[in-house]
Amino acid sequence: MLRSRGVNLQEGPRTNYKERLQDIMLRRSSRRRLVDKVVSISAIFSVILAVILLGSILIEVVINGARALSINFLTQPPGAIGSGLGGIGPAIEGTLIVVGLASAIGAPVGVLAGIYLSEFAGNGIFPSSVRFFSDVLVGLPSIVIGIVAYISLVLTLGSFSVWAGALALSIIMIPIVVRVTEETLKVVPNSMKEAGHSLGIPKRTIILHIVLKSAKSGVITGIILAISRIAGETAPLIMTILGTDLFFTSLTGPVDALPLRIWRLVSQPYQYAHDFGWGAALILILMVLGMSLGLRLLAHRRGFKIGTIAA
Amino acid sequence: MTTNGENSREDEIKADKDIDRQTESEQVQEKQQQVHKVSIRNLEAWFGSKQALKNINLDVEQKTATSVIGPSGCGKTTLIKCLNRMHEMTPGAKAKGQVIIDGMDIYARNIDPVIIKRRIGMVFQKPNPFPTMSIYDNVVAGLKLNGIRDKRLMDEIVKDSLEGAALWDEVKNELGKPGMGLSGGQQQRLCIARALAMQPEVLLMDEPTSALDPVASSKIEDLVHDLKKRYTVIIVTHNMQQAARVSDHTAFMYLGELIEYSPTKKMFENPEKELTERYISGKFG
Ligand SMILES: Nc1ncnc2c1ncn2[C@@H]1O[C@H](COP(=O)(O)OP(=O)(O)OP(=O)(O)O)[C@@H](O)[C@H]1O
Ligand SMILES: [Mg+2]
């Protein structure tokens, strides 16, 4: 972009570009080396800092949580407050149910909406506003979604329920999955789709078997991120599933969940309850880790093995 | 059964005769069509309001190779994309006119463009094998994703198509490996095999060698020589030597118009139009 103001070829003798450029580059290069060094050192430093922080949290949780672990702790309902007995069985069960339900709703809806936005929608008013509101929703504090679920589901239906919790969590999940799916599908090269079309493959099959397949690991990462996020949510659960000492009875009744249980345990004045809280936190982390590994394995298993010919 | 034996035999013979007559008439038909496998009539194409093709008329003979040459931006890609209804997939793009392949106008109203693409193979400028698929799966992608499940049939087609694309000997022991692991030239031949696997009648190639080194290019050129024995090949090229080497007819385009269409030999030795002459001798382009 030559601005007419800055370009005046008539003026002055022509300089030797090569020399001038080399001069600038040389001056730049010593500075660049310094900048390079500073950037890489601070990058390494930040990585170390992050690892130390994360690692120390993990170690703290493992050390403190391991003390609480026992078969009873994992399978029993909480005992009387202050007794030091019981466990977090209902909370584990409740988290599995609520997060499982929320993912069963949120992942397919999110992926389908993401496919719609990237492959069918174009840039009209409707898809643009869907994108905009997804972004807003991602940034919304989860307690707001809790309040909405409380007013629209709990109050109108008259009771705290698993459904309300699962729906609230799926609403947190959907926009994350939508945006990640859309962005991942968009970077699948157009030449793939073109190749598919040129073979007379119907569009839905192209999307399912070619586009989605190349974008698989990105989409799975999005789903894992979203599930991890909702597994640790507390605020919307207080207002939807409430939390209870009892095992699951029905989808329309209250249920317990790990984040709620952790919060309850830690707010008690007993040492054993704090240990239980650490234990519950450890279990939550292990569950998220297990889910993440499991999904990744599932995604990787179907590799290049299909259809080898006996020649 | 036994009492009707004689009768049914007679019926059979009669039926055979009918079939004979049918095939005869089909052959006659085929002979008529053999002259023009592809006929383009008054074809126009637009990108939005920009006209990219102006009133193209062109007849391509069966089992020949036809090159399309012309300076960059003259509409070569647009032209061959109109021949399998790929052009209109670009947002805002549209085409008008007739493209008659085997006596059927592919732009007729009741025609499903997806079906058309199954009958007409296309090879792109840049090799584009499916990155998630093995060599084998790349070749049969079009079959599998159109619902073919017969493993034996697919095995045969894979061998045939890879042989047809002159790639079989190089990959026969590693069909399970990813298609992306091949060299650029091999990938392009894999893409040709993928197109051949659909058993197309017409094969469109858009500068298939422009991303390849000379050795790989000459392999593809040799391949085109073989392919035109079985298919009708239309090949876009920037390389005039290539056009001269591989094709029977050559079409020269300029600014969206078909300037000249003649037998290749004539085109390069004694072109009719001055513009053609100037382009071929490298005076512009
Ligand atoms: N997607 C598009 N949108 C708008 N205009 C386009 C598009 N693709 C091509 N065109 C225009 O259509 C005209 C013909 O383009 P086309 O790609 O057919 O040229 P070409 O002969 O294949 O050129 P090249 O030799 O560089 O590949 C060009 O003027 C180009 O600017
Ligand atoms: Mg082109």
Side-chain angles (χ1 to χ4, degrees):
Chain A
M1 282 244 288
L2 302 177
R3 279 166 304 154
S4 55
R5 186 159 53 91
V7 179
N8 191 347
L9 293 177
Q10 267 19 323
E11 192 185 89
R14 282 283 176 84
T15 4
N16 187 339
Y17 295 133
K18 200 172 161 191
E19 255 172 37
R20 263 176 69 186
L21 289 175
Q22 267 175 356
D23 199 38
I24 296 171
M25 286 179 197
L26 217 63
R27 247 187 294 136
R28 280 282 158 94
S29 84
S30 62
R31 215 178 74 189
R32 196 177 50 222
R33 248 170 292 167
L34 188 71
V35 172
D36 270 0
K37 232 176 217 151
V38 172
V39 169
S40 48
I41 287 175
S42 41
I44 292 171
F45 203 74
S46 319
V47 169
I48 292 173
L49 198 70
V51 168
I52 288 177
L53 277 174
L54 262 176
S56 60
I57 293 174
L58 266 179
I59 289 169
E60 186 93 1
V61 173
V62 170
I63 289 175
N64 289 308
R67 246 183 293 163
L69 295 190
S70 70
I71 296 290
N72 277 348
F73 176 73
L74 296 177
T75 56
Q76 295 300 309
I81 288 181
S83 69
L85 296 173
I88 57 167
I92 295 176
E93 184 198 44
T95 284
L96 284 175
I97 293 172
V98 176
V99 173
L101 256 179
S103 315
I105 302 166
V109 171
V111 170
L112 285 176
I115 290 174
Y116 165 76
L117 285 183
S118 109
E119 304 300 316
F120 295 95
N123 284 316
I125 291 181
F126 178 67
S128 304
S129 41
V130 171
R131 282 183 198 112
F132 177 73
F133 283 112
S134 294
D135 289 346
V136 172
L137 266 179
V138 170
L140 213 61
S142 56
I143 195 156
V144 176
I145 289 163
I147 294 168
V148 172
Y150 178 74
I151 292 171
S152 62
L153 292 169
V154 176
L155 287 188
T156 51
L157 296 177
S159 84
F160 293 100
S161 71
V162 175
W163 274 124
L167 281 176
L169 291 189
S170 69
I171 288 171
I172 299 174
M173 182 172 181
I174 287 169
I176 304 175
V177 178
V178 170
R179 293 303 268 156
V180 173
T181 303
E182 186 191 359
E183 295 309 320
T184 332
L185 293 192
K186 269 200 177 143
V187 297
V188 173
N190 207 30
S191 62
M192 292 298 105
K193 297 172 204 169
E194 245 186 351
H197 285 303
S198 78
L199 294 167
I201 304 170
K203 185 166 181 181
R204 54 174 190 284
T205 317
I206 292 177
I207 290 170
L208 226 58
H209 286 87
I210 294 170
V211 178
L212 211 52
K213 219 172 201 171
S214 350
K216 189 172 61 179
S217 72
V219 173
I220 298 260
T221 304
I223 295 175
I224 289 174
L225 272 178
I227 298 181
S228 313
R229 157 99 195 264
I230 61 169
E233 280 297 343
T234 321
L237 292 184
I238 300 175
M239 284 179 279
T240 50
I241 62 169
L242 186 65
T244 148
D245 286 354
L246 306 173
F247 277 105
F248 168 80
T249 49
S250 88
L251 289 175
T252 51
V255 74
D256 209 11
L258 281 168
L260 293 181
R261 183 50 53 188
I262 294 169
W263 174 63
R264 293 235 158 96
L265 286 165
V266 173
S267 48
Q268 288 172 22
Y270 309 105
Q271 181 57 44
Y272 91 90
H274 294 176
D275 288 348
F276 274 22
W278 285 112
L282 179 57
I283 296 299
L284 183 58
I285 290 175
L286 289 179
M287 278 166 68
V288 168
L289 216 71
M291 176 274 304
S292 164
L293 278 178
L295 278 183
R296 272 191 207 288
L297 276 181
L298 206 72
H300 267 283
R301 251 214 343 234
R302 304 205 183 110
F304 283 114
K305 272 179 300 184
I306 328 153
T308 8
I309 194 176
Chain B
M1 276 299 283
T2 36
T3 45
N4 282 351
E6 216 109 298
N7 265 350
S8 62
R9 170 147 327 141
E10 255 171 47
D11 283 350
E12 259 173 42
I13 292 170
K14 230 168 123 192
D16 271 356
K17 270 188 189 155
D18 279 351
I19 289 172
D20 274 352
R21 213 174 302 144
Q22 242 178 3
T23 43
E24 242 169 62
S25 68
E26 260 173 27
Q27 277 166 358
V28 171
Q29 254 185 6
E30 221 169 79
K31 262 193 198 125
Q32 283 170 347
Q33 282 164 13
Q34 231 163 31
V35 188
H36 301 322
K37 181 74 177 178
V38 180
S39 296
I40 302 170
R41 293 276 168 274
N42 307 323
L43 181 68
E44 319 232 295
W46 286 266
F47 289 99
S49 60
K50 184 180 186 300
Q51 188 163 13
L53 292 181
K54 291 167 196 158
N55 196 27
I56 306 279
N57 286 283
L58 185 75
D59 291 317
V60 177
E61 285 173 32
Q62 186 163 37
K63 295 187 181 163
T64 59
T66 301
S67 338
V68 181
I69 60 171
S72 187
C74 70
K76 306 181 292 293
T77 300
T78 310
L79 175 65
I80 66 163
K81 279 192 166 175
C82 283
L83 302 188
N84 67 346
R85 299 202 56 176
M86 199 77 173
H87 169 67
E88 69 218 41
M89 307 209 61
T90 308
K94 60 179 193 293
K96 215 181 79 189
Q98 285 182 309
V99 174
I100 298 153
I101 295 179
D102 273 338
M104 185 180 76
D105 179 10
I106 65 166
Y107 280 93
R109 199 167 302 154
N110 56 350
I111 299 283
D112 179 357
V114 174
I115 309 280
I116 294 298
K117 295 190 188 79
R118 282 179 209 161
R119 294 181 44 206
I120 299 169
M122 184 155 207
V123 178
F124 297 84
Q125 185 165 0
K126 266 168 66 189
N128 55 359
F130 296 122
T132 55
M133 294 184 198
S134 64
I135 294 173
Y136 182 101
D137 282 338
N138 258 290
V139 178
V140 291
L143 300 172
K144 261 192 175 172
L145 298 182
N146 276 311
I148 309 275
R149 292 273 169 275
D150 187 335
K151 185 80 173 55
R152 287 255 311 277
L153 178 68
M154 286 200 289
D155 284 357
E156 276 171 36
I157 290 180
V158 165
K159 185 162 187 284
D160 249 20
S161 312
L162 285 171
E163 274 172 353
L167 187 61
W168 174 251
D169 289 331
E170 289 159 63
V171 301
K172 63 182 171 198
N173 294 320
E174 42 185 33
L175 295 171
K177 290 200 180 150
M180 290 303 251
L182 299 173
S183 75
Q186 288 174 323
Q187 284 184 21
Q188 192 61 299
R189 277 177 285 151
L190 179 61
C191 294
I192 294 173
R194 180 175 68 187
L196 297 184
M198 298 297 288
Q199 316 301 316
E201 292 145 56
V202 179
L203 189 61
L204 309 171
M205 306 173 105
D206 189 2
E207 299 188 44
T209 64
S210 69
L212 305 180
D213 66 72
V215 177
S217 299
S218 76
K219 270 202 177 143
I220 303 254
E221 281 180 24
D222 292 344
L223 183 56
V224 173
H225 261 292
D226 289 339
L227 290 175
K228 75 177 185 192
K229 291 175 195 145
R230 294 167 63 191
Y231 309 90
T232 306
V233 182
I234 300 178
I235 178 170
V236 170
T237 176
H238 256 134
N239 181 331
M240 256 147 331
Q241 285 78 31
Q242 186 171 67
R245 279 193 297 265
V246 302
S247 63
D248 306 295
H249 287 79
T250 298
F252 168 60
M253 294 183 62
Y254 185 65
L255 296 181
E257 284 178 79
L258 179 65
I259 304 296
E260 184 165 349
Y261 176 54
S262 344
T264 300
K265 202 165 167 349
K266 177 167 183 298
M267 172 84 92
F268 283 97
E269 280 169 8
N270 184 21
E272 257 161 41
K273 303 268 166 61
E274 202 211 319
L275 197 61
T276 319
E277 146 93 66
R278 278 179 41 210
Y279 180 70
I280 288 171
S281 55
K283 298 224 171 71
F284 74 99

